[in-house]
Amino acid sequence: MVVIATLFCVQSSVAQQWPDSKGRDFWFTFLPNFHNSESEIESDVLVQKEHQLYIYIAAERPTTGTITWTTGDGTRESLAFRIDDVKQLYSTSVYYRDTELRGVSENGAGFDFFGSDNETVSPKSFHVVANDDVTVYALNQAVTTSDAFLILPTDAIAEDYVVLAYTSDIRFSNVQQGTLEANATPSQFAVVATADSTVVDITPSVPTIKNPNKIRQQIMLQQGESYLVQADMRVGGTADLTGTLVRASQPVAVFAGHQRTVLPLSFANTLFSRDCLVEQMNPIRTWGKSAFLTPHARSSNEILAGYDLFRVVAAFDSTAVTVDGQERAILDAGMVFEDSLRSAKEVRTTRPALVAQFKKTSSGNNGGVDNRRSGDPFMMLVPPAEQFMNSYRFINIQSYTYTFGINNKLIVDDSIYKEQWMNVVIPTSGIASLTIDGIPVPSGRFQQIGNTAFSWAQIPMTDGAHEATSDTTFGIYVYGYGEANSYGYIGGMSFRPLDVNPPALEGQNTCDGFEGSFTDSLLADSRITSVGVVPGTEVNATFTVAAFNPPQAVVAFEAALRDPYLDGSLVVEAEDAVEQTSRFDIVLPGFTVSPVGRRNAAQPLQRAYVIPIDRERCDSVEIENYGLYAQTISNLRFSGTTIVTSPQAPFTMTPGERITVRFCRTGTMEQVVTDTLLIGDTCQLRPMLAAQIEEKFDKEGPKVQGEADICSTRVDVRIDDEIGADLGLAEARVLDSVTVNCIVELQDSTTLLRTYRIDVLDPYLDAIYGFEAIDSADNITRYIDTIPGFMMSVDGDLAPITTHDLGLQPIGTLTCDTIDLVNEGVQSISLPNVYIQENIVFSTPQQQFTIRIDPRGGGSQLIVCFEPLVADTSLLLSDTIELYQGCLVRKIAVFGRGKGLEYAGISRCEVPVEASTTHIIGGVTVLPQPAQEWLTLVLERPTEAVDVSLVDLSGITVFHRTWRGTAAEAVVLDVAGLHPGAYGCRVITDHGIMNTVCVIR
């Protein structure tokens, strides 16, 4: 544990020492320049001195070291160097021939597309090793074309780059035939390996000399080997290698620019002189989001045509470019934004980007005459503000032309760079502490950059080594002008890896949920400061984070399902120290297979089964995948001896899929056991079906069940032997000997089940049917049943319609009689009421109901009353009484006749008298009819005495009133308390008896 803690401490300490442009180990190469006097070089020493590759080394303390370079044939040469006076830079130069990478266009005499170093592994490279920290600069010098660049130490380079160059200077001598002029020059870059067995992937942005289809290349380089790539100018178009992606398995150095170009190219018809462009590319991880651009000092002799410009290249999609607070472009990875540079600007990007500024061509094309002026194009990477340093040792480079002196001794003829400059960008608050070569820089030289907290200045410089320091970090841009010549480079920079990667997620689903970790552990990462769940996103899930002390590189966590039988999900997020947030969707598939409809029920489905001894019984249960994800079933079995016959595991169930699981068991002994159906994947077994199983002998006969229709005219009979230990039917037959009043037909027949249909012939008579069924265990079931009809005789008659005569009765009298009812059937008969069709002169007293008649000869009587209103013996009065049993009806036609009343007695004179009435008793008018609350009886003749009775249909008097007094012509009855219905109304006056019907509503 102590060792681990110590290692962490060491790692933390080293991580804060970011590389900068100072170092002890440097690898580099020189891109092709344009040597337009090459034919004179081999025989002219003076000309050779104008085509040199310069190396400059600055130190902050005395040191020694070596410079080693390898030529095209593999020859390795070495030179020791020593720096005693740190105020002086060490410098040396090497003749370019066979040490500079060779391109397709070298001297304006034509093109060599096959003999160049293009896309061929080359040994040409330089290696500087020092015993203490130094800063290394390089200058590629040819006649009127040169550029200087800062060399990055090995600890400041990396594996990933995006190239920033400039558009090929394509010139056609014959546009129709696509013939290039001899002085056309390409966009270019080169890669140098710093370790053996380095695999380099190159994805070019445009066709290259040997890769016209822009196919991704993969090459193997050993330490010190170089690989040159030039754009193919023959295909026309922009031919700009900017945006090319370079990725290596180990750190490499990448150099990019242009062989020689007019700048800007849009002024090629106006501007004349050209210059090479070169810078060493910064690895993506050291890019920044803020860059300050400063215009170059105008030379003492340059034309006004054209303009300086700047370019921004992106390594990440959706990179927004803002210039002085205004959004100018949104770039995807590899895209470039270009604009003029006429004043100091602040460029900001939403994601890290690489920025360079370019000096324009200074001379014009005056009728084809070389009108040379001071200055020419150069390319200068702009250090992001995040990478500024607080001290620099740098050089304003100088080269010379030579002549022969006495005894052919070479002497300096003239210096090449007549004007030396440095631009400074510094926080305004730090201007007072800025010194150059120990001398404070006057604050009056500085101008504020827009609305930012930074200022800038153009400061004239002298040849040679210089030192700039400040209490705050700042940036320097070093450049110089000669006749049709120039150089420019950044004076140095820090290479703090910037955190461009938000936290990442590593992990995998487990049987318990998900185990993972957030990581923010790359070289430039700022470490994780917080983790958690996005509120409201937890679905059936829990989230647990391991204890950690922010900022921390790796934070472990676990997510688990609350209910293992339901799917779950959640969204987790992590934030690093620079507030980059990453969100990740985590899905937690539950085990979502169950019997249909049971879903995540905690208990298994309960079912009971009876199995016969020595007999196999098979059953099934339907299961479903009710979840969102496919389920691979690796285990499907019972805990006991029950066997699953299908499906066989393993198998997969898609979301929503249903499958029938079939299982069988053979009875072995009389017992009751529980056997559980288990289903699962590689993580768990879920109890799905708890089967209560009873094994026993088949001691029960077949089951016979009949179901009649509502009117008992048809019965469906089911005979089965399929429950419990049943072994199945052996035989089933109809008992013809008991069949009465019905027809029996077989409907369906299987081993376990037979069905019959029975139709009744006469529903008024009882029907009898019977079956005998034998199962495979020789158990016998006999079943006889009766379908009851409406088998009731009326006055001894079984006919559906019978008659009953109540005879001749005096009008105004209520006569009742009885009708004999006998139940001849096997089922009791219940008559809760009867229905009389007219119900005027014939009635059935209500107090006799309900009438119940026992089966098999049981009897009862129905009381029927008759009250004729017409004294006409020739007039037959009739009505129909209906008796209902289920859907059947029995009818009794009743009839009778009315006759007049007969009186006999002694008169006042004591003389016997006899009288009869043979006419209709009338003389009473009922108003209104029907009545509601009041009923008025209007008499035919006035009377001194009135007696009124109202009788209901059962013969009960429900109303009676008597009046005595003066002669009355009408009486009023209060009938509000009577039930609605028809009532017999009897009125007795001095003149006789009168009967009528009163209806109350």
Side-chain angles (χ1 to χ4, degrees):
M1 294 300 292
V2 175
V3 173
I4 294 175
T6 303
L7 288 175
F8 282 151
C9 291
V10 171
Q11 183 181 31
S12 177
S13 174
V14 172
Q16 300 306 313
Q17 302 302 317
W18 308 119
D20 55 22
S21 52
K22 306 165 188 175
R24 301 184 182 186
D25 188 86
F26 302 80
W27 285 96
F28 56 100
T29 191
F30 286 88
L31 293 172
N33 202 340
F34 194 86
H35 302 276
N36 55 9
S37 56
E38 189 175 33
S39 60
E40 308 171 15
I41 293 175
E42 297 300 326
S43 59
D44 192 330
V45 176
L46 295 180
V47 176
Q48 289 181 11
K49 297 297 283 186
E50 296 183 15
H51 294 266
Q52 295 287 313
L53 307 178
Y54 286 87
I55 299 171
Y56 304 92
I57 303 175
E60 295 181 346
R61 60 180 59 90
T63 188
T64 59
T66 58
I67 303 172
T68 304
W69 64 95
T70 306
T71 62
D73 61 2
T75 301
R76 181 169 296 179
E77 300 185 34
S78 182
L79 175 67
F81 70 88
R82 182 183 187 90
I83 301 177
D84 294 318
D85 183 359
V86 296
K87 296 182 178 180
Q88 300 294 322
L89 270 71
Y90 175 85
S91 67
T92 187
S93 64
V94 177
Y95 177 49
Y96 91 97
R97 191 73 171 183
D98 209 28
T99 54
E100 175 188 290
L101 292 172
R102 188 171 183 83
V104 296
S105 177
E106 287 295 315
N107 56 15
F111 299 96
D112 184 359
F113 291 103
F114 301 100
S116 72
D117 288 326
N118 259 284
E119 297 169 72
T120 302
V121 176
S122 170
K124 299 175 183 177
S125 67
F126 287 76
H127 187 203
V128 174
V129 177
N131 294 317
D132 209 329
D133 283 353
V134 296
T135 303
V136 178
Y137 307 94
L139 171 68
N140 191 325
Q141 177 67 56
V143 176
T144 70
T145 172
S146 61
D147 200 2
F149 52 102
L150 174 70
I151 307 299
L152 307 184
T154 305
D155 64 352
I157 62 176
E159 299 84 4
D160 296 320
Y161 295 85
V162 173
V163 169
L164 176 54
Y166 191 62
T167 308
S168 296
D169 193 341
I170 301 173
R171 302 181 179 214
F172 290 100
S173 59
N174 189 316
V175 177
Q176 288 75 17
Q177 297 180 5
T179 304
L180 290 169
E181 285 188 8
N183 59 355
T185 47
S187 177
Q188 59 187 8
F189 73 89
V191 180
V192 182
T194 63
D196 288 340
S197 302
T198 299
V199 178
V200 182
D201 281 322
I202 298 174
T203 305
S205 58
V206 294
T208 62
I209 299 300
K210 295 182 180 180
N211 187 11
N213 295 319
K214 300 191 298 182
I215 299 172
R216 174 187 168 194
Q217 296 178 332
Q218 187 175 89
I219 56 173
M220 174 76 77
L221 298 179
Q222 304 305 320
Q223 187 182 59
E225 291 181 335
S226 300
Y227 191 78
L228 172 67
V229 179
Q230 289 185 310
D232 192 345
M233 299 173 290
R234 294 169 294 183
V235 299
T238 58
D240 183 357
L241 284 168
T242 296
T244 296
L245 178 63
V246 177
R247 285 184 166 171
S249 61
Q250 301 183 81
V252 293
V254 178
F255 302 84
H258 200 290
Q259 186 170 359
R260 189 178 68 158
T261 184
V262 167
L263 200 147
L265 272 173
S266 57
F267 282 76
N269 293 328
T270 303
L271 301 177
F272 176 74
S273 63
R274 302 190 289 168
D275 216 340
C276 72
L277 309 175
V278 60
E279 285 280 64
Q280 182 170 357
M281 297 292 100
N282 296 337
I284 294 173
R285 73 182 188 187
T286 66
W287 291 8
K289 299 180 181 179
S290 172
F292 292 101
L293 309 176
T294 57
H296 307 105
R298 186 173 297 279
S299 76
S300 60
N301 184 22
E302 67 176 79
I303 67 171
L304 298 179
Y307 49 83
D308 296 348
L309 59 84
F310 68 93
R311 305 187 104 195
V312 181
V313 69
F316 305 95
D317 289 341
S318 302
T319 299
V321 179
T322 301
V323 180
D324 291 337
Q326 294 186 347
E327 186 177 292
R328 299 292 304 278
I330 297 180
L331 306 179
D332 284 335
M335 294 178 62
V336 66
F337 170 74
E338 179 181 306
D339 200 2
S340 61
L341 176 60
R342 293 183 169 92
S343 61
K345 299 178 182 298
E346 180 191 30
V347 174
R348 286 189 173 272
T349 54
T350 54
R351 308 193 71 180
L354 186 63
V355 182
Q357 61 185 56
F358 299 78
K359 180 68 177 74
K360 79 177 189 70
T361 294
S362 297
S363 61
N365 191 348
N366 185 10
V369 178
D370 185 5
N371 184 16
R372 295 188 176 185
R373 295 177 182 267
S374 179
D376 232 355
F378 60 77
M379 171 184 177
M380 181 189 301
L381 288 183
V382 178
E386 298 94 328
Q387 305 289 19
F388 285 171
M389 301 193 303
N390 59 10
S391 69
Y392 300 87
R393 291 281 295 167
F394 64 96
I395 184 173
N396 280 98
I397 293 168
Q398 187 56 267
S399 295
Y400 303 92
T401 60
Y402 295 85
T403 186
F404 286 109
I406 301 173
N407 297 323
N408 287 329
K409 183 179 180 179
L410 286 174
I411 60 174
V412 175
D413 178 41
D414 196 3
S415 61
I416 292 177
Y417 301 107
K418 305 296 185 181
E419 303 175 43
Q420 302 281 14
W421 292 92
M422 179 180 72
N423 286 5
V424 177
V425 174
I426 188 170
T428 304
S429 60
I431 294 175
S433 66
L434 177 64
T435 64
I436 297 178
D437 297 331
I439 301 174
V441 179
S443 60
R445 284 189 172 275
F446 287 89
Q447 304 175 52
Q448 186 177 355
I449 302 176
N451 296 321
T452 72
F454 285 79
S455 295
W456 76 288
Q458 289 176 342
I459 302 173
M461 302 296 292
T462 59
D463 296 352
H466 302 281
E467 182 178 30
T469 63
S470 173
D471 293 341
T472 185
T473 59
F474 63 101
I476 63 172
Y477 310 60
V478 182
Y479 55 101
Y481 303 139
E483 183 180 347
N485 213 337
S486 66
Y487 73 89
Y489 65 92
I490 56 173
M493 62 182 289
S494 172
F495 291 95
R496 298 178 184 87
L498 299 182
D499 188 354
V500 299
N501 301 301
L505 174 68
E506 297 178 354
Q508 62 184 356
N509 287 96
T510 65
C511 290
D512 297 325
F514 186 91
E515 292 182 358
S517 59
F518 294 108
T519 63
D520 202 56
S521 56
L522 299 178
L523 178 61
D525 285 343
S526 56
R527 306 300 186 254
I528 295 169
T529 57
S530 66
V531 298
V533 178
V534 177
T537 65
E538 295 169 281
V539 178
N540 187 37
T542 62
F543 181 75
T544 305
V545 182
F548 75 103
N549 295 318
Q552 186 167 304
V554 180
V555 179
F557 71 88
E558 293 181 356
L561 291 168
R562 294 182 181 274
D563 185 336
Y565 301 138
L566 290 175
D567 293 326
S569 63
L570 67 164
V571 179
V572 296
E573 65 180 1
E575 184 175 280
D576 62 19
V578 295
E579 299 183 348
Q580 294 184 111
T581 300
S582 296
R583 288 189 173 185
F584 304 94
D585 295 325
I586 296 178
V587 296
L588 305 172
F591 186 72
T592 55
V593 178
S594 74
V596 172
R598 296 286 295 176
R599 295 178 64 84
N600 63 320
Q603 299 299 321
L605 179 65
Q606 305 289 324
R607 282 190 180 175
Y609 302 94
V610 179
I611 299 177
I613 303 298
D614 298 328
R615 188 69 172 260
E616 182 183 67
R617 172 172 178 170
C618 295
D619 292 279
S620 64
V621 60
E622 189 177 24
I623 63 175
E624 65 175 340
N625 178 6
Y626 56 87
L628 300 174
Y629 310 99
Q631 298 285 341
T632 298
I633 306 303
S634 58
N635 205 330
L636 180 62
R637 61 179 176 82
F638 275 86
S639 59
T641 59
T642 308
I643 303 300
V644 175
T645 59
S646 67
Q648 295 297 316
F651 60 92
T652 299
M653 296 182 67
T654 58
E657 183 178 4
R658 294 186 176 187
I659 293 178
T660 298
V661 177
R662 186 169 176 81
F663 50 91
C664 299
R665 183 185 180 98
T666 300
T668 57
M669 66 178 69
E670 288 199 322
Q671 62 178 345
V672 177
V673 297
T674 298
D675 206 352
T676 303
L677 177 59
L678 305 172
I679 188 168
D681 53 18
T682 56
C683 290
Q684 62 178 312
L685 274 178
R686 178 181 184 180
M688 187 170 59
L689 170 66
Q692 188 78 15
I693 299 172
E694 181 182 6
E695 297 180 9
K696 67 177 184 177
F697 289 102
D698 185 0
K699 298 179 181 179
E700 298 181 0
K703 310 301 183 295
V704 182
Q705 294 176 313
E707 183 177 352
D709 65 2
I710 191 170
C711 292
S712 297
T713 59
R714 174 175 290 174
V715 176
D716 290 320
V717 175
R718 171 190 174 95
I719 303 175
D720 67 80
D721 197 64
E722 61 180 2
I723 300 175
D726 290 343
L727 298 177
L729 290 169
E731 181 184 1
R733 63 186 182 86
V734 178
L735 297 176
D736 294 328
S737 60
V738 302
T739 302
V740 176
N741 189 34
C742 59
I743 298 175
V744 182
E745 293 183 348
L746 177 66
Q747 299 295 304
D748 193 14
S749 176
T750 66
T751 302
L752 300 177
L753 174 67
R754 293 187 188 182
T755 57
Y756 293 85
R757 173 159 291 176
I758 301 170
D759 289 307
V760 177
L761 297 176
D762 185 348
Y764 286 94
L765 300 178
D766 290 344
I768 303 174
Y769 65 90
F771 295 93
E772 183 178 79
I774 305 174
D775 66 14
S776 297
D778 294 328
N779 297 306
I780 300 176
T781 299
R782 291 176 61 87
Y783 181 86
I784 299 174
D785 197 9
T786 301
I787 306 172
F790 198 0
M791 199 170 177
M792 182 182 69
S793 64
V794 178
D795 289 338
D797 192 346
L798 282 173
I801 300 177
T802 59
T803 62
H804 188 84
D805 187 359
L806 273 79
L808 183 65
Q809 302 297 334
I811 62 173
T813 62
L814 182 66
T815 303
C816 297
D817 197 2
T818 59
I819 300 175
D820 293 329
L821 305 177
V822 177
N823 184 357
E824 307 289 351
V826 297
Q827 181 173 311
S828 63
I829 296 175
S830 177
L831 300 175
N833 209 335
V834 298
Y835 175 72
I836 304 177
Q837 291 182 352
E838 295 184 5
N839 198 22
I840 296 177
V841 296
F842 295 94
S843 61
T844 55
Q846 291 297 307
Q847 65 268 23
Q848 64 182 317
F849 299 107
T850 295
I851 299 174
R852 292 180 175 83
I853 311 172
D854 295 332
R856 304 185 185 280
S860 185
Q861 292 181 329
L862 175 66
I863 301 173
V864 180
C865 297
F866 174 49
E867 186 176 11
L869 299 179
V870 179
D872 185 352
T873 58
S874 65
L875 179 62
L876 182 64
L877 303 176
S878 63
D879 206 340
T880 300
I881 300 174
E882 297 179 352
L883 295 79
Y884 288 92
Q885 183 76 1
C887 300
L888 302 177
V889 61
R890 300 294 301 272
K891 295 182 179 181
I892 304 174
V894 292
F895 54 85
R897 292 179 176 81
K899 66 177 181 177
L901 292 174
E902 296 181 351
Y903 300 95
I906 303 298
S907 70
R908 291 180 181 178
C909 299
E910 297 183 358
V911 177
V913 295
E914 292 182 3
S916 64
T917 59
T918 59
H919 61 281
I920 298 175
I921 298 176
V924 178
T925 301
V926 182
L927 296 174
Q929 190 73 302
Q932 288 184 319
E933 297 181 358
W934 300 94
L935 179 68
T936 301
L937 301 178
V938 180
L939 305 177
E940 184 179 59
R941 289 181 292 173
T943 181
E944 294 180 357
V946 180
D947 187 287
V948 178
S949 298
L950 297 182
V951 182
D952 64 12
L953 296 180
S954 63
I956 298 175
T957 300
V958 298
F959 181 93
H960 180 263
R961 293 289 188 274
T962 300
W963 288 269
R964 298 285 188 272
T966 58
E969 297 183 356
V971 293
V972 178
L973 309 182
D974 181 0
V975 296
L978 299 182
H979 293 292
Y983 294 87
C985 181
R986 174 174 293 183
V987 181
I988 302 174
T989 69
D990 295 339
H991 310 292
I993 299 174
M994 295 164 284
N995 290 297
T996 187
V997 175
C998 300
V999 179
I1000 298 174
R1001 184 172 59 194

